[in-house]
Amino acid sequence: MVPIFMRALIIVDVQNDFCPGGSLGTARGNEVAAAVGHYLEGDLAKVNDYAHVVATQDWHIDPGAHFSENPDFVDSWPRHCVADTAGAQMHDALKDAPIDAYFRKGEYEAAYSGFEGKADGTALADWLRERGVDSLDVVGIATDHCVRATALDALQEGFEVRILTGMCAAVDNARGDKAFEEMEKAGAELV
Ligand code: VGL
């Protein structure tokens, strides 16, 4: 029998602060935002027949040592994605995207994984399971941090996971490539 998947697209942290001009801009952030926007409008997304499209957002109020005046850009960072600021908004390229729910994370601590996020009090894994989703495509920012953590948690939670690598942007390219390898080893398919 041909397996039937119920697949969702997870757009990780495609927020202004993670794009050029933002406080923690990745080099390819704008490119990724535009590519995800086009992807959702085009035939390829139709072929993948997403049951749902969801987004995660870093949403910081007072995340402690996650913010630093002297960030190491691995475990500590300049202020970014402060709740209700322009930097925390989704990139303009996704302003009109058909996103069903936004899962916000990191209010009072570092939260790299989208699975730490909640939409109207519902955690991402529960929200997906309630809707019968068993398979996820993951895109977004940053490959070496939030995409990585989200994909690894998704696998841990028992979802089938594909990473659409062309629509992911890294803070650091070498770390990004290592993160792709790690996700693949953990069971994700790199597309
Ligand atoms: C992220 C660094 C700090 C991310 C979040 O979205 O990958 N990176 N906070």
Side-chain angles (χ1 to χ4, degrees):
M1 209 176 96
V2 178
I4 308 290
F5 292 112
M6 176 93 85
R7 182 173 281 140
L9 178 70
I10 302 194
I11 303 169
V12 176
D13 296 10
V14 182
Q15 294 166 268
N16 288 326
D17 270 344
F18 294 132
C19 296
S23 64
L24 191 35
T26 54
R28 293 187 57 249
N30 287 340
E31 224 174 282
V32 161
V36 174
H38 287 140
Y39 174 66
L40 284 169
E41 287 165 9
D43 291 339
L44 251 182
K46 285 199 191 79
V47 169
N48 283 319
D49 196 21
Y50 295 115
H52 296 282
V53 177
V54 302
T56 67
Q57 285 180 296
D58 231 14
W59 200 257
H60 294 310
I61 296 169
D62 183 8
H66 187 58
F67 284 171
S68 169
E69 298 293 326
N70 300 299
D72 66 7
F73 291 87
V74 179
D75 294 313
S76 61
W77 307 92
R79 287 171 67 79
H80 60 276
C81 298
V82 172
D84 293 314
T85 64
Q89 296 308 308
M90 301 292 289
H91 190 285
D92 262 3
L94 295 176
K95 212 174 49 208
D96 300 320
I99 294 169
D100 298 320
Y102 294 84
F103 291 84
R104 291 173 171 172
K105 59 187 172 64
E107 283 86 341
Y108 296 101
E109 62 200 345
Y112 293 101
S113 168
F115 284 86
E116 296 178 64
K118 288 189 173 169
D120 292 327
T122 303
L124 177 56
D126 293 335
W127 193 99
L128 294 167
R129 285 200 195 98
E130 279 164 15
R131 289 160 179 79
V133 171
D134 54 10
S135 172
L136 304 173
D137 282 357
V138 181
V139 299
I141 308 172
T143 311
D144 33 350
H145 298 282
C146 289
V147 170
R148 171 185 173 277
T150 301
L152 294 178
D153 271 0
L155 291 161
Q156 200 75 49
E157 293 279 355
F159 294 96
E160 295 276 332
V161 177
R162 303 193 304 191
I163 314 295
L164 310 188
T165 55
M167 288 185 274
C168 295
V171 170
D172 176 280
N173 286 332
R175 282 182 196 274
D177 289 345
K178 270 181 71 180
F180 281 142
E181 273 176 35
E182 192 182 351
M183 293 181 247
E184 188 173 38
K185 276 212 187 95
E189 184 184 350
L190 303 185
V191 179

Tab-separated table of all heavy atoms in Angstrom, residues 12-13 15 18 24 58 60 66 73-74 76-78 80-81 105 111-112 141-147 169 171, ligand 1:
chain	number	residue	atom	x	y	z
A	12	VAL	N	10.484	28.248	10.163
A	12	VAL	CA	11.150	28.569	11.434
A	12	VAL	C	11.731	29.980	11.417
A	12	VAL	O	12.625	30.289	10.614
A	12	VAL	CB	12.280	27.545	11.703
A	12	VAL	CG1	13.052	27.906	12.973
A	12	VAL	CG2	11.726	26.131	11.798
A	13	ASP	N	11.206	30.841	12.259
A	13	ASP	CA	11.848	32.121	12.625
A	13	ASP	C	12.275	32.992	11.443
A	13	ASP	O	13.362	33.601	11.481
A	13	ASP	CB	13.060	31.865	13.530
A	13	ASP	CG	12.692	31.236	14.873
A	13	ASP	OD1	11.532	30.821	15.048
A	13	ASP	OD2	13.565	31.151	15.743
A	15	GLN	N	12.050	35.965	10.627
A	15	GLN	CA	11.710	37.247	11.250
A	15	GLN	C	12.729	38.304	10.853
A	15	GLN	O	13.886	37.992	10.550
A	15	GLN	CB	11.710	37.069	12.770
A	15	GLN	CG	10.621	36.133	13.261
A	15	GLN	CD	10.840	35.691	14.696
A	15	GLN	OE1	11.463	34.664	14.931
A	15	GLN	NE2	10.335	36.460	15.653
A	18	PHE	N	16.422	38.348	11.954
A	18	PHE	CA	17.312	37.301	11.455
A	18	PHE	C	17.637	37.506	9.971
A	18	PHE	O	18.247	36.640	9.343
A	18	PHE	CB	16.702	35.917	11.672
A	18	PHE	CG	16.556	35.538	13.122
A	18	PHE	CD1	15.374	35.018	13.599
A	18	PHE	CD2	17.618	35.690	13.999
A	18	PHE	CE1	15.237	34.661	14.936
A	18	PHE	CE2	17.494	35.347	15.333
A	18	PHE	CZ	16.305	34.832	15.809
A	24	LEU	N	20.422	40.509	14.166
A	24	LEU	CA	21.128	39.221	14.093
A	24	LEU	C	20.930	38.658	12.687
A	24	LEU	O	20.545	37.514	12.481
A	24	LEU	CB	20.528	38.300	15.176
A	24	LEU	CG	21.143	36.987	15.563
A	24	LEU	CD1	22.652	37.022	15.508
A	24	LEU	CD2	20.693	36.632	16.956
A	58	ASP	N	10.693	33.523	17.340
A	58	ASP	CA	11.409	33.854	18.560
A	58	ASP	C	10.690	35.068	19.134
A	58	ASP	O	10.368	36.017	18.382
A	58	ASP	CB	12.850	34.234	18.168
A	58	ASP	CG	13.903	33.499	18.967
A	58	ASP	OD1	13.574	32.517	19.644
A	58	ASP	OD2	15.069	33.930	18.902
A	60	HIS	N	11.033	37.253	22.458
A	60	HIS	CA	11.714	37.449	23.737
A	60	HIS	C	11.179	38.641	24.529
A	60	HIS	O	10.974	39.731	23.967
A	60	HIS	CB	13.212	37.653	23.491
A	60	HIS	CG	13.898	36.443	22.931
A	60	HIS	ND1	13.760	35.188	23.485
A	60	HIS	CD2	14.726	36.294	21.859
A	60	HIS	CE1	14.487	34.322	22.783
A	60	HIS	NE2	15.075	34.960	21.785
A	66	HIS	N	20.531	34.669	27.372
A	66	HIS	CA	20.424	34.515	25.910
A	66	HIS	C	20.816	35.824	25.216
A	66	HIS	O	21.347	35.805	24.106
A	66	HIS	CB	18.977	34.141	25.569
A	66	HIS	CG	18.733	33.784	24.133
A	66	HIS	ND1	19.397	32.759	23.493
A	66	HIS	CD2	17.889	34.308	23.208
A	66	HIS	CE1	18.962	32.677	22.233
A	66	HIS	NE2	18.055	33.604	22.045
A	73	PHE	N	27.815	34.614	19.950
A	73	PHE	CA	27.147	34.181	18.717
A	73	PHE	C	27.045	32.661	18.599
A	73	PHE	O	26.942	32.109	17.516
A	73	PHE	CB	27.810	34.789	17.464
A	73	PHE	CG	27.585	36.278	17.363
A	73	PHE	CD1	28.459	37.166	17.989
A	73	PHE	CD2	26.480	36.789	16.696
A	73	PHE	CE1	28.238	38.538	17.935
A	73	PHE	CE2	26.254	38.161	16.640
A	73	PHE	CZ	27.131	39.036	17.259
A	74	VAL	N	27.105	31.975	19.743
A	74	VAL	CA	26.834	30.541	19.796
A	74	VAL	C	25.785	30.290	20.873
A	74	VAL	O	24.756	29.677	20.630
A	74	VAL	CB	28.119	29.723	20.105
A	74	VAL	CG1	27.782	28.230	20.167
A	74	VAL	CG2	29.174	29.967	19.029
A	76	SER	N	25.148	33.052	23.274
A	76	SER	CA	24.622	34.361	23.683
A	76	SER	C	24.624	35.276	22.464
A	76	SER	O	25.454	35.131	21.552
A	76	SER	CB	25.449	34.947	24.824
A	76	SER	OG	26.789	35.130	24.419
A	77	TRP	N	23.684	36.212	22.472
A	77	TRP	CA	23.358	36.936	21.245
A	77	TRP	C	23.033	38.391	21.545
A	77	TRP	O	22.617	38.720	22.657
A	77	TRP	CB	22.116	36.285	20.593
A	77	TRP	CG	22.279	34.816	20.397
A	77	TRP	CD1	21.911	33.828	21.262
A	77	TRP	CD2	22.884	34.166	19.281
A	77	TRP	NE1	22.242	32.600	20.751
A	77	TRP	CE2	22.844	32.780	19.535
A	77	TRP	CE3	23.453	34.610	18.086
A	77	TRP	CZ2	23.348	31.836	18.638
A	77	TRP	CZ3	23.953	33.676	17.199
A	77	TRP	CH2	23.904	32.306	17.467
A	78	PRO	N	23.184	39.251	20.545
A	78	PRO	CA	22.654	40.607	20.722
A	78	PRO	C	21.128	40.534	20.908
A	78	PRO	O	20.506	39.529	20.528
A	78	PRO	CB	22.985	41.298	19.392
A	78	PRO	CG	23.801	40.353	18.590
A	78	PRO	CD	23.716	38.999	19.204
A	80	HIS	N	17.467	40.530	20.177
A	80	HIS	CA	16.797	40.251	18.910
A	80	HIS	C	15.378	39.779	19.192
A	80	HIS	O	15.085	39.264	20.281
A	80	HIS	CB	17.560	39.169	18.121
A	80	HIS	CG	17.664	37.871	18.868
A	80	HIS	ND1	18.654	37.635	19.811
A	80	HIS	CD2	16.890	36.759	18.867
A	80	HIS	CE1	18.478	36.431	20.326
A	80	HIS	NE2	17.404	35.871	19.781
A	81	CYS	N	14.516	39.959	18.222
A	81	CYS	CA	13.152	39.421	18.287
A	81	CYS	C	12.472	39.717	19.625
A	81	CYS	O	11.898	38.821	20.264
A	81	CYS	CB	13.141	37.924	18.001
A	81	CYS	SG	13.745	37.528	16.354
A	105	LYS	N	7.949	31.474	21.088
A	105	LYS	CA	8.810	30.788	22.066
A	105	LYS	C	9.851	31.749	22.598
A	105	LYS	O	10.186	32.740	21.951
A	105	LYS	CB	9.508	29.604	21.373
A	105	LYS	CG	10.357	30.047	20.173
A	105	LYS	CD	10.911	28.870	19.402
A	105	LYS	CE	11.584	29.281	18.115
A	105	LYS	NZ	12.781	30.117	18.254
A	111	ALA	N	15.031	29.640	23.609
A	111	ALA	CA	14.186	28.549	23.114
A	111	ALA	C	14.476	28.396	21.630
A	111	ALA	O	13.943	29.135	20.807
A	111	ALA	CB	12.713	28.849	23.362
A	112	TYR	N	15.354	27.467	21.320
A	112	TYR	CA	15.742	27.308	19.920
A	112	TYR	C	14.724	26.469	19.141
A	112	TYR	O	14.527	26.678	17.952
A	112	TYR	CB	17.136	26.678	19.839
A	112	TYR	CG	18.220	27.594	20.379
A	112	TYR	CD1	18.744	27.428	21.651
A	112	TYR	CD2	18.702	28.652	19.614
A	112	TYR	CE1	19.725	28.275	22.152
A	112	TYR	CE2	19.677	29.509	20.100
A	112	TYR	CZ	20.185	29.311	21.367
A	112	TYR	OH	21.146	30.159	21.853
A	141	ILE	N	15.246	29.833	9.459
A	141	ILE	CA	16.454	30.449	9.999
A	141	ILE	C	16.541	30.094	11.498
A	141	ILE	O	15.520	30.171	12.192
A	141	ILE	CB	16.381	31.982	9.859
A	141	ILE	CG1	16.045	32.371	8.391
A	141	ILE	CG2	17.682	32.634	10.295
A	141	ILE	CD1	15.757	33.862	8.195
A	142	ALA	N	17.622	29.805	12.068
A	142	ALA	CA	18.893	29.589	11.403
A	142	ALA	C	19.196	28.090	11.377
A	142	ALA	O	18.974	27.389	12.348
A	142	ALA	CB	20.022	30.315	12.177
A	143	THR	N	19.735	27.643	10.262
A	143	THR	CA	20.051	26.220	10.088
A	143	THR	C	20.798	25.656	11.287
A	143	THR	O	20.500	24.556	11.764
A	143	THR	CB	20.962	26.047	8.849
A	143	THR	OG1	20.400	26.760	7.767
A	143	THR	CG2	21.143	24.585	8.498
A	144	ASP	N	21.790	26.408	11.778
A	144	ASP	CA	22.669	25.915	12.837
A	144	ASP	C	22.070	26.086	14.238
A	144	ASP	O	22.691	25.677	15.213
A	144	ASP	CB	24.060	26.572	12.769
A	144	ASP	CG	24.071	28.003	12.275
A	144	ASP	OD1	23.031	28.488	11.793
A	144	ASP	OD2	25.113	28.661	12.382
A	145	HIS	N	20.897	26.675	14.351
A	145	HIS	CA	20.310	26.867	15.681
A	145	HIS	C	18.845	26.425	15.698
A	145	HIS	O	18.534	25.301	16.066
A	145	HIS	CB	20.511	28.315	16.143
A	145	HIS	CG	21.954	28.644	16.263
A	145	HIS	ND1	22.709	28.237	17.336
A	145	HIS	CD2	22.810	29.268	15.404
A	145	HIS	CE1	23.968	28.601	17.158
A	145	HIS	NE2	24.057	29.224	15.991
A	146	CYS	N	17.933	27.303	15.293
A	146	CYS	CA	16.514	26.969	15.486
A	146	CYS	C	15.994	25.927	14.495
A	146	CYS	O	15.139	25.118	14.850
A	146	CYS	CB	15.676	28.238	15.469
A	146	CYS	SG	15.970	29.216	16.967
A	147	VAL	N	16.498	25.918	13.264
A	147	VAL	CA	16.073	24.867	12.323
A	147	VAL	C	16.559	23.513	12.838
A	147	VAL	O	15.788	22.542	12.908
A	147	VAL	CB	16.617	25.140	10.895
A	147	VAL	CG1	16.396	23.932	9.983
A	147	VAL	CG2	15.962	26.388	10.310
A	169	ALA	N	18.682	29.255	6.056
A	169	ALA	CA	19.837	30.157	6.138
A	169	ALA	C	20.548	29.939	7.465
A	169	ALA	O	19.903	29.787	8.505
A	169	ALA	CB	19.390	31.609	6.032
A	171	VAL	N	23.516	31.040	10.463
A	171	VAL	CA	24.323	32.127	11.040
A	171	VAL	C	25.751	31.940	10.552
A	171	VAL	O	26.402	32.867	10.085
A	171	VAL	CB	24.287	32.086	12.589
A	171	VAL	CG1	25.315	33.051	13.187
A	171	VAL	CG2	22.893	32.421	13.110
B	1	VGL	C1	18.167	31.809	16.582
B	1	VGL	C2	20.133	32.578	17.412
B	1	VGL	C3	19.512	33.099	18.497
B	1	VGL	C4	17.439	31.106	15.501
B	1	VGL	C5	17.509	32.310	17.670
B	1	VGL	O1	16.282	31.444	15.217
B	1	VGL	O2	18.050	30.191	14.912
B	1	VGL	N1	19.468	31.949	16.461
B	1	VGL	N2	18.203	32.948	18.638
